[in-house]
Amino acid sequence: MLDLTTHWAGILSVIIFLSAYVLVVFEEVTHLRKSKPVMLAAGLIWMLIGIAYTVAGHGHETREFAAHIIEEYGELFLFLLVAITYVNTLEERRGFQVLRAKLVGLGLGYRGLFVLTGALAFVLSGILDNLTTALVMGTVILALGSESKRFVTLGCISVVVASNAGGAFTPFGDITTLMVWQKGKLEFLDFFAIFLPSLVNWLVPAGIMYFAVPQGRPTPQHERVRAKPGTLGVAVLFALTIVTAVSFKNFLHLPPALGMMLGLGYLQIWAYFLKRNGARRSDEDMVLDSFSQIQRVEWDTLLFFFGIIFAVGGLGVMGYLALASELLYADLGPTYANIIVGALSAVVDNIPLMFAVLTMDPDMSHGQWLLITLTCGVGGSMLSIGSAAGVALMGQAKDGYTFLSHLRWTWAIGLGYVAAVGTHLLVNAATF
């Protein structure tokens, strides 16, 4: 692998990557979808790699580098395609609407709802993902918080922190944890070692904010929503798909993405029977078109992952990640490096950061890999723009939840971050 860190192609690639990332950060201002600049940047960076290697007489080696990254992205893409399709199907079957209606009809006070929505966000994000969970809980907060802007603000902050924390201790809760699992750095059950640190990460700021939540009670609301036929079957098959993916990796030593694709087959067959029964009974609600749920996948997000993974991978081929690894992990040590990387995820998306760490592949203990999984998963909670959950809720809640309203409580979330790291270092000391 050539060292291109001081080569004109390498320097130009860094400029291209930074320019693309600036456009990603200001997506709300420019209205340029985030996938477009990073896809362009990825293509240009690899073109410069090809030119530099060809001029140096090593052009035949670039294919192997690119093929390795294509394999990594392909596994991630297929896994996410199936997971998102199941989530879309549950939404189409009105599963999330039923959950929201039940929560709205409980008649709890603001403080009770604050605790309940946060706790549910923490639990559900480990099964679904932090973005979907935050949006579902956000609709509950907005439905009941029309009379109290303060409740909306604090409830949204709690949900963002809880969603990110809950997604950190399972391979399915966040893209970064999925990447760590697929890379083989941690086994499926290993992630649960950071359950307690993840819980502390939410409980500390939630406990502080609890006393700022209004003590009143929202006006009771009654909303009747009926799930479409087959909803329970979809949920059961989703759970079975997760079991299949884990079994493929742990027992058959096959990529978990293959297990997820088998799970997509489960859904397709279930949709076939629902469609047949719906046509026989003339019940349109029973009909499930699984292909239409695949079409609803957020392609902007999947293509953004493509651009980021290939752009960062290209910078790694040029030697920049080896340089960063030397500065962080060799000079500072893995503990401080992992804490810093996690804190950076509040400003820089955690996906390129985690992919960079996995590409650097520093020599770390089991406990250190758990630490970077924890910090990269929860560090983005310190700013509203630090995670997909925060960005999505800002768009959903508008004036009720903003960058500045979140920033006022960053100190409390930061205390949770420090407490989570301390808890991990204490309870999982034997893994270091």
Side-chain angles (χ1 to χ4, degrees), residues 114-122 157-163 165-166 196-209 378 416-417 420:
F114 175 83
V115 173
L116 181 61
T117 52
L120 283 175
F122 182 84
I157 295 173
S158 172
V159 162
V160 169
V161 177
S163 297
L196 184 58
S198 299
L199 182 61
V200 168
N201 179 260
W202 169 62
L203 286 178
V204 169
I208 294 172
M209 291 187 293
V378 304
Y417 181 79

Side-chain angles (χ1 to χ4, degrees), residues 94-357:
R94 302 195 194 114
F96 297 135
Q97 293 182 39
V98 170
L99 174 62
R100 184 192 67 189
K102 288 185 179 298
L103 293 176
V104 168
L106 289 177
L108 296 175
Y110 286 124
R111 290 189 171 182
L113 286 167
F114 175 83
V115 173
L116 181 61
T117 52
L120 283 175
F122 182 84
V123 173
L124 289 176
S125 61
I127 304 170
L128 303 174
D129 63 83
N130 52 1
L131 174 59
T132 302
T133 301
L135 289 174
V136 172
M137 292 298 107
T139 59
V140 176
I141 291 170
L142 290 174
L144 294 170
S146 58
E147 302 168 358
S148 176
K149 183 178 178 180
R150 187 170 185 80
F151 166 72
V152 171
T153 299
L154 295 172
C156 286
I157 295 173
S158 172
V159 162
V160 169
V161 177
S163 297
N164 291 333
F169 70 90
T170 73
F172 304 95
D174 192 87
I175 304 301
T176 56
T177 57
L178 177 59
M179 292 164 68
V180 172
W181 184 49
Q182 288 194 327
K183 194 74 172 179
K185 296 301 179 183
L186 296 173
E187 296 301 323
F188 181 78
L189 295 178
D190 292 341
F191 287 88
F192 295 96
I194 55 176
F195 169 80
L196 184 58
S198 299
L199 182 61
V200 168
N201 179 260
W202 169 62
L203 286 178
V204 169
I208 294 172
M209 291 187 293
Y210 176 83
F211 298 99
V213 177
Q215 294 188 12
R217 187 181 300 272
T219 303
Q221 296 184 29
H222 299 284
E223 181 183 3
R224 285 196 169 189
V225 179
R226 181 183 176 187
K228 291 183 178 180
T231 304
L232 181 59
V234 173
V236 170
L237 290 178
F238 190 15
L240 181 59
T241 297
I242 293 174
V243 172
T244 303
V246 173
S247 300
F248 265 51
K249 188 176 190 301
N250 289 355
F251 306 121
L252 304 180
H253 310 289
L254 292 169
L258 284 177
M260 293 297 287
M261 291 302 290
L262 175 56
L264 184 60
Y266 302 158
L267 181 62
Q268 298 280 30
I269 298 301
W270 183 241
Y272 168 77
F273 284 112
L274 287 177
K275 188 174 183 179
R276 292 253 336 222
N277 289 336
R280 188 182 304 118
R281 302 178 186 179
S282 299
D283 185 356
E284 292 186 2
D285 278 351
M286 181 172 285
V287 175
L288 171 60
D289 184 356
S290 57
F291 287 108
S292 66
Q293 305 314 312
I294 297 175
Q295 291 174 353
R296 290 177 55 222
V297 167
E298 184 57 54
W299 289 102
D300 179 49
T301 300
L302 292 177
L303 293 177
F304 170 73
F305 294 156
F306 168 85
I308 284 294
I309 287 174
F310 271 82
V312 173
L315 294 178
V317 169
M318 290 180 163
Y320 286 107
L321 296 185
L323 183 63
S325 180
E326 182 70 24
L327 291 173
L328 282 171
Y329 289 92
D331 295 347
L332 293 177
T335 300
Y336 288 113
N338 289 332
I339 293 172
I340 291 171
V341 170
L344 283 175
S345 66
V347 181
V348 181
D349 193 276
N350 60 356
I351 293 169
L353 288 174
M354 180 58 84
F355 185 76
V357 173

